[in-house]
Amino acid sequence: MQTQGAMPEIRKTIVIQAPIEKVWQAVSTSEGIAGWWMPSTFKPIVGHEFILHAGPYGDSPCKVTEIDPPNRVGFDWGKDWHLAFELRSLDGKTEFTLIHSGWDAGQVTEFGQPHSVVRGFMDGGWDRIVQEKLPSYLEA
């Protein structure tokens, strides 16, 4: 359901030179997620509440909403956002898509920052994480 101030989700898709099983481990375990994004207490169990340790931004409460091995992981992040990692096998390689939704121009984050401002920072940050950090972690 779109609200009046709804803004487009952030989507980032790349092809990684690694089999889907290896990419799945990187996106569905706390060790894997820490290797390319940030430390957390993630467990691949629907309903599991965990913390993302976002360094200078503090700790964010999250909750796993979907686990579909080896194709999709989804979780609520903070009070507004939803993050999903989608994987598709491509002959020994993997197409990875990150979807960051829950943006609303009328909302502010827990830290009082408008979504409209934070979305721009996150969009650029995800570029670097998805285009550089994830592949270098998996293709090393």
Side-chain angles (χ1 to χ4, degrees):
M1 186 177 101
Q2 293 279 4
T3 58
Q4 188 166 1
M7 299 162 63
E9 63 194 15
I10 296 172
R11 271 188 172 260
K12 306 292 177 186
T13 301
I14 61 163
V15 174
I16 298 170
Q17 306 297 319
I20 194 167
E21 297 78 16
K22 186 175 181 186
V23 180
W24 177 252
Q25 287 300 309
V27 303
S28 68
T29 65
S30 61
E31 301 79 19
I33 293 168
W36 61 276
W37 186 30
M38 65 176 75
S40 73
T41 58
F42 180 89
K43 286 191 174 81
I45 301 162
V46 171
H48 175 68
E49 294 185 7
F50 68 100
I51 299 291
L52 274 175
H53 301 293
Y57 301 103
D59 290 349
S60 292
C62 300
K63 184 176 182 176
V64 178
T65 57
E66 52 190 321
I67 295 287
D68 178 18
N71 302 112
R72 189 172 163 98
V73 175
F75 58 89
D76 291 335
W77 178 10
K79 68 180 182 63
D80 299 321
W81 296 330
H82 188 266
L83 206 59
F85 306 138
E86 290 183 348
L87 281 56
R88 197 163 61 94
S89 187
L90 300 170
D91 296 323
K93 298 183 288 231
T94 305
E95 181 185 81
F96 169 85
T97 301
L98 175 142
I99 304 156
H100 186 168
S101 58
W103 300 101
D104 188 314
Q107 297 288 319
V108 295
T109 67
E110 294 89 321
F111 309 106
Q113 300 162 305
H115 277 208
S116 53
V117 172
V118 177
R119 189 187 178 285
F121 290 127
M122 291 293 240
D123 192 36
W126 281 129
D127 274 336
R128 188 175 64 83
I129 291 166
V130 172
Q131 303 286 341
E132 299 169 23
K133 294 187 86 169
L134 181 60
S136 67
Y137 173 72
L138 283 163
E139 296 170 5

